[in-house]
Amino acid sequence: MPAFKPFEIMALPTEMAHHQHHYNQIVIGLNGRTEFDIAGQGNLVGPGQGCLVSAERDHAFGGRGSNAILVVNLPLRQEPVAPGQEERLAGLFDKPCYFQLAPPARQLVSVLSQEMRANPEDHLLGQACAHTLLCALHRHMAFPRRQPRAKRLNLEMIDAYIAQHLERKITVAQLAGCAFLGESQFHLLFKAQTGLSPYQYVLEKRLEQARRLLADSQHSLACIAQHCGFSSQSLFTQVFSSRFGLSPSRYRKLRR
């Protein structure tokens, strides 16, 4: 089992994952963007932004391309390094999950990160950096007020997932997972935002890609059907003809 590290710098993979742990955690964005969902509250974390993850709280996380985050791991039981440290820690995790750093704290994060990048295996340095950062963060975190507005789905992210998995079966549960929502809530929000059910929306994406391939490629109808996620050429022909009023082969002839 790897040793507990109080202060880490890492990059998150683009594929979303989730877990929980037996210690509190402070996450601060250094480069690029990462995405977190903590107890149903999702947000993007960029440079100078961060989130607090309480112990035993399930959370999801993933990166957006090239990214780097600073992670401070705080065990629940530890000897305070100064009078009042335990109270400071408890108060810190009573606050909302996401925050913005003030400029002085961002400078401190930059300096400490450079030290840890140069000495990643120095455990004592990691502890010192974690304690220093903890003392400063309590005074330099600004918590945005929550605005009462309807949640909107990130269709760009959903479209990217559909395009990546177009050849396969795509379920509502998988799309809901992209938005960190339950299936029923996702379905209602999706229908309200797009005017289509998730199934209809995915089908439209399949047919859009099929039309592009029919017009711009030499692939056979069977190959196009498979590439666009239809279980058979006959099903593809049936669905395409019903949607556009002409068969795939007829459509290809008219476009050439």
Side-chain angles (χ1 to χ4, degrees):
M1 185 174 182
F4 180 88
K5 292 185 177 181
F7 192 105
E8 296 181 88
I9 296 174
M10 66 179 70
L12 295 181
T14 55
E15 183 176 349
M16 295 298 293
H18 70 91
H19 67 198
Q20 58 179 249
H21 33 67
H22 303 296
Y23 47 86
N24 293 321
Q25 192 174 72
I26 302 172
V27 178
I28 300 173
L30 297 177
N31 302 109
R33 284 195 168 190
T34 53
E35 186 168 359
F36 284 81
D37 184 274
I38 306 169
Q41 298 183 26
N43 210 341
L44 292 176
V45 174
Q49 300 172 329
C51 60
L52 305 175
V53 184
S54 300
E56 311 295 347
R57 178 170 290 177
D58 190 70
H59 54 285
F61 51 92
R64 294 284 189 90
S66 177
N67 69 87
I69 58 171
L70 179 157
V71 179
V72 179
N73 297 313
L74 302 164
L76 296 181
R77 294 183 180 180
Q78 61 179 0
E79 293 297 326
V81 297
Q85 182 80 342
E86 290 178 331
E87 290 78 6
R88 180 183 287 117
L89 179 61
L92 184 64
F93 281 87
D94 284 340
K95 294 182 182 295
C97 293
Y98 297 95
F99 59 86
Q100 178 85 32
L101 288 179
R106 293 189 65 169
Q107 293 176 6
L108 178 62
V109 165
S110 177
V111 172
L112 296 180
S113 298
Q114 290 176 21
E115 286 295 315
M116 284 307 302
R117 281 192 170 108
N119 305 278
E121 301 303 322
D122 191 329
H123 187 74
L124 291 178
L125 176 62
Q127 286 183 323
C129 288
H131 291 147
T132 300
L133 191 58
L134 175 60
C135 293
L137 287 181
H138 191 262
R139 297 190 302 275
H140 291 286
M141 288 189 299
F143 295 94
R145 295 181 178 179
R146 296 183 63 84
Q147 299 297 325
R149 60 183 180 86
K151 181 179 178 65
R152 287 189 63 81
L153 299 171
N154 186 338
L155 289 181
E156 182 179 344
M157 182 172 64
I158 292 172
D159 286 346
Y161 181 90
I162 293 173
Q164 186 177 0
H165 299 84
L166 198 63
E167 296 184 13
R168 309 174 191 173
K169 180 179 179 181
I170 299 175
T171 66
V172 175
Q174 291 169 329
L175 296 178
C178 294
F180 308 107
L181 294 173
E183 290 184 51
S184 59
Q185 184 183 8
F186 174 82
H187 194 284
L188 290 173
L189 286 172
F190 194 92
K191 186 69 179 291
Q193 189 168 332
T194 67
L196 299 172
S197 71
Y199 170 80
Q200 291 170 326
Y201 190 86
V202 172
L203 182 59
E204 286 298 312
K205 293 296 182 182
R206 297 190 192 282
L207 291 172
E208 286 176 13
Q209 179 65 4
R211 288 201 298 176
R212 284 193 289 268
L213 292 175
L214 286 169
D216 302 329
S217 78
Q218 300 296 326
H219 297 313
S220 67
L221 296 185
C223 180
I224 292 175
Q226 181 180 6
H227 179 79
C228 295
F230 293 95
S231 59
S232 66
Q233 180 181 335
S234 60
L235 177 61
F236 167 54
T237 299
Q238 177 185 344
V239 173
F240 190 97
S241 300
S242 175
R243 175 66 176 82
F244 299 113
L246 69 169
S247 68
S249 57
R250 179 64 178 163
Y251 178 87
R252 170 172 270 178
K253 289 181 180 178
L254 291 176
R255 291 300 301 269
R256 295 185 174 181

